[in-house]
Amino acid sequence: MTAPVRLAVHIGRDVPDGLNAVLSALPPGVQPVAASEREALPEGVVAHLYCSDVRPRRPVAPYAVWWMAGEDAAPAAGAGVPVLADAGHGRPDDLQVSLRAWPEHARPVLPFTRAGLRRVRELPARLVGESRSDGVSWGVPGEQPAVAARDTWPTLAALASAVVATGEDLWTALAWAAPAVTDAASARLLGLTPGEDVLVDDDPAVRTRLAAGLADDELRAAGLARRGWQAACCRRPAAVAAELCRRLGVRPPAHSTVSGLTAAMDELGTPPHSLVRRRARAATAGLPGAVTSGWRPDREEHP
Amino acid sequence: MDIVVCGAQKPFVRGGAEQHQENLVAALEAAGHRVDLVRLPVAWEKGRLFDSPLAWRMVPIDADLVIATNFPSYFVQHPNKVVWLLHQHRGAYDGFEAGASWSDFDWDDVSLEEQRLMTEWDIAALSEAQKVFSNSGVVSRRLARFNGLDSTPLAHPPPLHDVLHPGGFGDYVLSVQRQEANKRPQLLVEAMTRVAAPTRAVMAGRGELLEQLRGQVAGAGLSGRVELPGFVADDELVELYAGALAVVYVPEDEDYGYTTLQAFYAGKPVICAADSGAVLDWVEDGVTGLVCDGTPDGLAAAVRRLAEDPGLAQRLGAAGRERVAGLSWADVVARLTAP
């Protein structure tokens, strides 16, 4: 039987908001175990995760530090020591965790594809969507925008050349890889880098102008869309857990139950009902386990 | 280091990408590395678009470094993956946008979802790489515009660079390419009907349009003034370059194009079109060659200009030769293998 690979987790009185979600999302075959300096370590521990309020003077390497929200001083991240934090509390290079729900059905739609979707729907070539506290609007830059129902926001997030949004609506926009403009507080809360992941300004009129500029600049819009989407993806607990393992050199045991074509397609973001999943299944129908070695009992298999 | 170079190949087709991969292997070996070239077949049509990327995803590669080149070899998984991108699946990107005959993507929801997924897969696979180089500014710009990804153009010497040499400026323009639609060989044939004797054209290379072009030449009364010899051996090609007045290369949105660089190594100016893609990374109008508007009239005017002023051809060719003087495989290897 394969020995377990364990991550020792050292927690003090306070538990970070995102800790449970990240530990629950560790790759199959990697087990979190509670640990303290006063007790012997369980067998199979290959790395440590310390909350910053209980980090010893000489941590056992390899290790990561979870920067607690109440502590002002950021951990001095030594060479190669990953730092985790709740989103909005970390620095740009930290692994920041967001517990916001990922919008159902969201897919990254980059500017070239969204321009094609507008074309086949006979929508304007340049279209900006804007979400404000008093509602949602959309229109061609420079023209009077049309008011829309609030529940149309995901559609606008998927189709618009650029969007203006804050708070939850920004998160939705990033999940659809919309080139986005927001305010400083929203960018900070999601741990986004202004100018890289989103454009930022606190003046609503300026935000509208910035979005209009993005609608005319496909190259810049594509870069923002990709980086904003990847930044949001990176905040999801499963992505943080995977990156934490990668940086700590924690590898799941060989012959993990999650391998094979299903896992490969999952990692690439393949939608459940996509054609390629059916083709992979058909191609391996006579090879038991080729696809189903990645089958997970909690998920529907896709015929 | 143990290095695996990964490349895709359409069976029974051999072109610049295959030469590029083999030359890279040779350069890496010359630098003292142990190198193997791994290729998997690729299919370009939409219905089988994701099959080969998925196959690459599952290929186990044990090596110190993996260098992936063309679509979809960069889907290979390896902790030390470097991509030197020759091209993506062009039918899903620029070919789709341009409505090219070789792209089977249409403006409908199925094509757009396939294109969207291709974009997402490309971002995932290329973002895993430690470094992403491209073979030209055009390929980098496509990657930035379609996928929002940054990359660094990394040029390399073309085949025969070590034997190509300048010579006299003869009475013919030379074209060296596969005779296929995206190379637009018919433009030169049509242009030659507007160029007076004794200026000739030699169009070297095989391809699916070869017989059709021969018919076009005969029909236009250009036999004897436009030669279509098909395959030309390397040593003969070197001498053809050396004796040419200029080299004509007017492909549509080329990714790299060895012909341009080979012409420069031979000290010849290049006549290209304004939409020739990466050729324009090298050909600067009036400096290293002439950029025409891509019409037979425009191309004919450029040929006539050089035929009437061989001194200009000489100056432009010399500038082109200077432009490629810094290219070296040793530099390419150093950058690809740098930690």
Side-chain angles (χ1 to χ4, degrees):
Chain A
M1 186 167 170
T2 309
V5 170
R6 290 187 165 127
L7 175 69
V9 184
H10 305 255
I11 312 168
R13 283 177 50 182
D14 297 321
V15 179
D17 290 344
L19 180 66
N20 190 43
V22 169
L23 297 184
S24 301
L26 285 170
V30 179
Q31 297 176 356
V33 290
S36 79
E37 283 206 302
R38 294 187 297 278
E39 297 170 8
L41 285 173
E43 189 184 343
V45 168
V46 296
H48 297 257
L49 172 60
Y50 297 95
C51 289
S52 56
D53 59 340
V54 294
R55 180 168 61 155
R57 291 180 61 183
R58 290 190 181 82
V60 181
Y63 70 95
V65 177
W66 195 300
W67 182 11
M68 300 292 289
E71 297 197 2
D72 290 335
V81 176
V83 174
L84 295 89
D86 292 320
H89 185 64
R91 299 159 298 189
D93 291 337
D94 294 343
L95 300 176
Q96 299 187 48
V97 185
S98 173
L99 297 178
R100 291 166 192 272
W102 194 252
E104 197 177 4
H105 306 308
R107 306 267 182 267
V109 187
L110 264 73
F112 175 71
T113 317
R114 53 182 63 219
L117 291 169
R118 290 195 299 276
R119 172 176 164 166
V120 300
R121 282 159 181 75
E122 298 182 347
L123 289 166
R126 296 160 66 246
L127 189 156
V128 170
E130 192 154 353
S131 164
R132 297 183 188 228
S133 57
D134 57 350
V136 168
S137 64
W138 64 280
V140 177
E143 296 179 9
Q144 185 65 30
V147 175
R150 181 153 286 285
D151 63 5
T152 61
W153 182 246
T155 306
L156 277 173
L159 290 177
S161 313
V163 300
V164 179
T166 55
E168 285 300 323
D169 285 343
L170 174 62
W171 183 248
T172 300
L174 296 176
W176 285 99
V181 185
T182 191
D183 61 12
S186 295
R188 196 166 48 246
L189 202 60
L190 294 177
L192 301 169
T193 304
E196 292 280 324
D197 305 326
V198 285
L199 298 185
V200 173
D201 202 285
D202 282 335
D203 181 340
V206 173
R207 287 201 292 270
T208 302
R209 281 204 300 277
L210 288 172
L214 280 179
D216 288 327
D217 188 347
E218 198 182 35
L219 190 64
R220 188 164 195 213
L224 273 182
R226 193 269 301 170
R227 286 189 294 267
W229 169 66
Q230 286 190 318
C233 289
C234 288
R235 308 285 181 268
R236 301 171 74 181
V240 172
E243 181 62 13
L244 174 66
C245 287
R246 192 190 70 79
R247 292 196 194 179
L248 288 174
V250 175
R251 291 190 177 84
H255 309 296
S256 154
T257 54
V258 179
S259 58
L261 290 168
T262 301
M265 288 184 286
D266 286 351
E267 286 165 7
L268 291 166
T270 317
H273 299 290
S274 65
L275 177 66
V276 66
R277 285 192 189 268
R278 278 182 249 169
R279 288 181 63 79
R281 192 173 178 81
T284 54
L287 306 170
V291 171
T292 54
S293 66
W295 180 72
R296 294 164 189 172
D298 60 333
R299 284 179 41 173
E300 177 195 355
E301 270 292 78
H302 309 293
Chain B
M1 275 197 285
D2 282 357
I3 301 173
V4 169
V5 175
C6 298
Q9 185 182 10
K10 190 167 175 63
F12 313 114
V13 173
R14 187 176 160 75
E18 289 73 23
Q19 279 185 36
H20 183 138
Q21 290 150 3
E22 286 153 16
N23 290 338
L24 172 59
V25 169
L28 289 164
E29 285 176 338
H33 301 290
R34 198 165 67 143
V35 191
D36 242 332
L37 174 59
V38 174
R39 283 185 178 136
L40 292 181
V42 63
W44 295 104
E45 68 270 24
K46 201 172 54 190
R48 296 192 291 168
L49 176 60
F50 295 96
D51 293 4
S52 190
L54 195 53
W56 275 107
R57 212 62 191 159
M58 303 302 293
V59 171
I61 302 277
D62 294 323
D64 300 315
L65 171 67
V66 160
I67 301 174
T69 55
N70 51 351
F71 170 86
S73 66
Y74 49 79
F75 281 87
V76 67
Q77 295 193 83
H78 192 274
N80 193 20
K81 174 167 80 175
V82 169
V83 176
W84 190 15
L85 187 65
L86 312 188
H87 58 77
Q88 299 171 265
H89 185 291
R90 295 188 56 192
Y93 294 109
D94 54 298
F96 181 18
E97 182 178 44
S101 58
W102 40 269
S103 169
D104 61 354
F105 282 71
D106 297 313
W107 295 105
D108 57 49
D109 281 344
V110 172
S111 286
L112 284 165
E113 172 55 16
E114 300 280 292
Q115 196 280 332
R116 186 206 66 75
L117 188 58
M118 186 78 265
T119 307
E120 183 175 1
W121 277 34
D122 271 353
I123 290 173
L126 292 165
S127 295
E128 295 166 351
Q130 304 295 313
K131 287 173 277 190
V132 179
F133 296 99
S134 71
N135 67 337
S136 69
V138 163
V139 173
S140 280
R141 283 192 290 279
R142 285 189 206 136
L143 197 55
R145 199 162 75 81
F146 293 115
N147 303 83
L149 289 165
D150 298 324
S151 59
T152 306
L154 177 58
H156 63 285
L160 304 176
H161 69 98
D162 49 347
V163 291
L164 286 161
H165 58 84
F169 285 77
D171 64 354
Y172 64 92
V173 291
L174 175 67
S175 125
V176 181
Q177 61 188 24
R178 290 188 61 76
Q179 312 299 352
E180 290 178 351
N182 65 324
K183 306 290 186 187
R184 301 190 292 202
Q186 75 283 358
L187 273 179
L188 180 54
V189 177
E190 287 181 45
M192 288 306 291
T193 64
R194 298 153 169 86
V195 175
T199 306
R200 300 180 295 123
V202 178
M203 301 175 67
R206 291 175 292 199
E208 59 190 17
L209 297 181
L210 182 56
E211 290 311 315
Q212 183 183 322
L213 289 166
R214 284 173 171 158
Q216 188 184 350
V217 166
L222 291 169
S223 301
R225 286 192 55 222
V226 176
E227 294 172 41
L228 283 152
F231 172 78
V232 173
D234 285 352
D235 51 353
E236 192 184 341
L237 190 62
V238 167
E239 295 313 313
L240 277 172
Y241 270 117
L245 170 69
V247 169
V248 172
Y249 193 49
V250 286
E252 182 181 2
D253 204 18
E254 179 61 76
D255 296 329
Y256 191 56
Y258 284 142
T259 302
T260 313
L261 299 181
Q262 289 179 328
F264 286 179
Y265 273 93
K268 304 300 173 185
V270 173
I271 301 172
C272 72
D275 62 351
S276 287
V279 178
L280 297 161
D281 286 0
W282 301 94
V283 180
E284 196 177 341
D285 190 40
V287 179
T288 56
L290 298 177
V291 180
C292 75
D293 61 5
T295 64
D297 281 337
L299 179 54
V303 172
R304 284 197 304 266
R305 188 174 164 198
L306 294 180
E308 289 161 8
D309 187 357
L312 174 63
Q314 197 166 356
R315 288 195 297 280
L316 301 180
R321 190 166 162 79
E322 199 175 310
R323 188 69 61 88
V324 296
L327 294 181
S328 88
W329 274 107
D331 174 57
V332 167
V333 167
R335 294 178 70 182
L336 290 173
T337 60

